[in-house]
Amino acid sequence: MSLSVPNDLLDQARAGEVDDAAFVACVRDSLPYAWATITALVERRDRSGADFADNQVPPPDETARGQLLRCLASDAMRGALERHFGVRLAFQNCHRVAVFRPEATDAYREFVTPRAQILNQSPELVDC
């Protein structure tokens, strides 16, 4: 299961729309490694003023890796985090998360190209 959903949030979903802040809190609490990684990247990008910041350090274990994969593979989770942080997220391999300023379209487009994906490959990441 991707998320540990509190009963009140489950009731909210059954009744209609889910509050974005409550959903973001659920993601934060359910996927702490993914949350911490993305939060740190947002802070680093904000401090630097750069178009983007990315993580190139593999997760410490499979549980952490799974959190990143679940978080970034979900359109709902990714979209909620993008709205919450005011960034655009991108993902390569099993750990290279990047946060972009929304207006950094050139940097984002380059990051998500097949060329960038291929250049980011390494033998130790083949089976991550």
Side-chain angles (χ1 to χ4, degrees):
M1 182 161 57
S2 292
L3 298 173
S4 300
V5 181
N7 286 333
D8 59 331
L9 187 58
L10 187 57
D11 291 341
Q12 191 181 98
R14 288 181 178 138
E17 290 298 313
V18 172
D19 175 67
D20 223 27
F23 182 59
V24 167
C26 181
V27 172
R28 179 196 66 222
D29 296 344
S30 299
L31 305 171
Y33 179 80
W35 178 268
T37 300
I38 293 168
T39 299
L41 290 172
V42 168
E43 291 169 354
R44 193 171 90 210
R45 198 219 51 83
D46 287 349
R47 279 192 312 273
S48 72
D51 283 344
F52 76 100
D54 65 329
N55 175 54
Q56 297 193 23
V57 178
D61 54 39
E62 290 306 309
T63 299
R65 184 183 320 280
Q67 287 186 26
L68 281 178
L69 291 171
R70 287 193 306 278
C71 184
L72 292 162
S74 165
D75 291 337
M77 284 190 258
R78 183 190 294 231
L81 294 179
E82 287 178 335
R83 289 187 298 279
H84 175 76
F85 289 113
V87 299
R88 192 161 186 193
L89 294 169
F91 190 53
Q92 289 181 354
N93 292 345
C94 50
H95 68 272
R96 189 172 180 207
V97 182
V99 297
F100 292 82
R101 288 184 310 108
E103 51 285 336
T105 55
D106 291 341
Y108 176 81
R109 276 194 296 254
E110 174 56 33
F111 188 90
V112 300
T113 63
R115 176 183 181 272
Q117 177 69 49
I118 289 169
L119 292 174
N120 191 48
Q121 295 303 129
S122 64
E124 57 273 4
L125 300 176
V126 169
D127 193 28
C128 64

